[in-house]
Amino acid sequence: MNGQVDSIIKRLDQLESHRAPWEQLWQDCTDYVNPRRGDFTVKQSRGTSTRFDKVFDSTAPLANEQLASGLHGHLTNTAENWFSFKVSGMEPNHSIREWLQQSVETLFDRCFNLPETNFITSIHELYLDLGSYGTGVIYVEDRPGKAIQFRSFHLADCYIAENHEGIVDTLYRKYKHTARQLLQLYSDVLPEKFKENAVKQPFQEFTCVHAVEPRADLDYGKEDNTNMPWKSCYVLVEEKLLLAESGFREFPYMVPRWSKTSGEVYGRSPAMICMPDIKMVNEMMKTTIRAAQKATDPPLMVPDDGFMMPLRTIPGGLNYYRSGSPDKIEALQGGERPDIGLDFIDSRREHINKSFHVDWLQLRDGPQMTATEVLQRQEEKMRLMGPMVGRLQSEFLGPMLDRVFNIMTRRQQIPIPPQDLQGAELKVDYISPVARAQKSSTVFNFTRLMEQVIPLANVKPEIL
């Protein structure tokens, strides 16, 4: 048992060293783009009010919020079905089509549209992390007797590794628990000395690790929870104690990456692309604000011996000086021009918004466009998101739907499939606005074909 705990702690140290070069870049993304998230290199106390102390221009945080809202509205909008099921390799009959529709409605009614699952909140946090850090982590928890729960975890607490196919199959999550919480969760395995100290200091914090990785010694002849494809271990680091061990039939963590360079494990985000512009705009706005303050409330020139009373700079304040003396209070005019550089700042703001793909969420130009032109331009903008959307479907939506469907099948919440469907391969068909826009080329091709055929049909009607 101690050997397993030592192996987990040792591998955690290795994963921490592999992630260390990214942390300063992620800290910059936190400081300038997503200040509400926790820190990577700077450990601040809970509830601190200095999250926004480096932000002098809110373009990047607002652009990240717009990107997250756009992804939610165009990919996983709960107001409409954003996926459906289809059968590969066969033409479905009426009973199969009815079962496919019932299965989709069950997933939405009992999971994605159910408030207890926390799906909407968690997925919005995930999209915010993707826009700022390029890597997000969401956990799909199977709670017996309760609804499935989605939980988004901060990247600062998670360490990941890929398999030989470039798929994330290992995640170590390091977090804090108080002594009181540990007693509530693992009182059966904690030593007596720890329990005695926990009574005296119930709010003392301890480091815990949740390690999920493929099980190397899988025995296919067993069905218990300690013999599943993925091994799950909870470890108390300070005591080097294994708190709990179980397993998962599917990898419970979804770790989508916005974009990824070959050879790297962690993703890259829109914030990283325009980070020089974000820092530049913040520094320029800081200087512009100081110049505006000097222009509206300039420093004062006061004779060194002409005044005995304290200066009053409030509106309506009276300052007395010696009658007949040329000495008086004057403002020091430095020639500040706060407007200089605003055009350059606006150009950098526009570049930041483009980096976050805000322009594909809004149609600004062309107010006289026809409906067909609007659809075509929207389609072109959606196609620009093709690589990112495809990665989200393969690394996030697909594995999430697979795990949720399997959990609900084991709970016997999915309708029993018809006999004709036995042995057939079930596939997911995405029908979100982004997916429909990327598939709309078929509709436009048909429309262009009809535009060419109709003039010929007036001459030769049998061509139809």
Side-chain angles (χ1 to χ4, degrees), residues 306-412:
F307 297 86
M308 301 299 294
M309 301 174 61
L311 294 179
R312 298 178 181 177
T313 58
I314 61 175
L318 298 177
N319 291 286
Y320 299 96
Y321 65 95
R322 186 180 298 108
S323 176
S325 171
D327 297 333
K328 62 180 180 179
I329 302 174
E330 295 180 343
L332 176 62
Q333 301 295 336
E336 292 80 8
R337 289 285 307 277
D339 58 318
I340 296 179
L342 290 181
D343 292 338
F344 182 74
I345 292 177
D346 289 339
S347 67
R348 294 299 89 195
R349 286 173 174 170
E350 183 179 359
H351 184 263
I352 293 172
N353 286 325
K354 287 183 177 180
S355 299
F356 282 92
H357 303 277
V358 175
D359 54 331
W360 70 265
L361 298 173
Q362 302 173 351
L363 286 175
R364 299 180 181 178
D365 300 329
Q368 304 300 325
M369 292 187 298
T370 64
T372 304
E373 291 173 339
V374 171
L375 291 176
Q376 192 166 5
R377 292 191 61 184
Q378 190 70 12
E379 176 204 357
E380 293 174 354
K381 292 187 175 185
M382 294 296 182
R383 284 185 177 182
L384 296 176
M385 299 293 295
M388 286 69 73
V389 172
R391 181 175 286 277
L392 288 178
Q393 290 176 351
S394 62
E395 295 186 346
F396 167 48
L397 297 178
M400 179 188 67
L401 289 173
D402 182 62
R403 175 156 172 79
V404 170
F405 183 84
N406 290 335
I407 290 175
M408 297 184 69
T409 300
R410 291 191 290 267
R411 293 183 175 187
Q412 298 181 352

Side-chain angles (χ1 to χ4, degrees), residues 91-102 418 420:
E91 184 67 25
N93 54 30
H94 175 72
S95 60
I96 292 178
R97 287 195 297 268
E98 185 177 4
W99 179 85
L100 295 175
Q101 182 63 28
Q102 289 178 355
D420 298 339

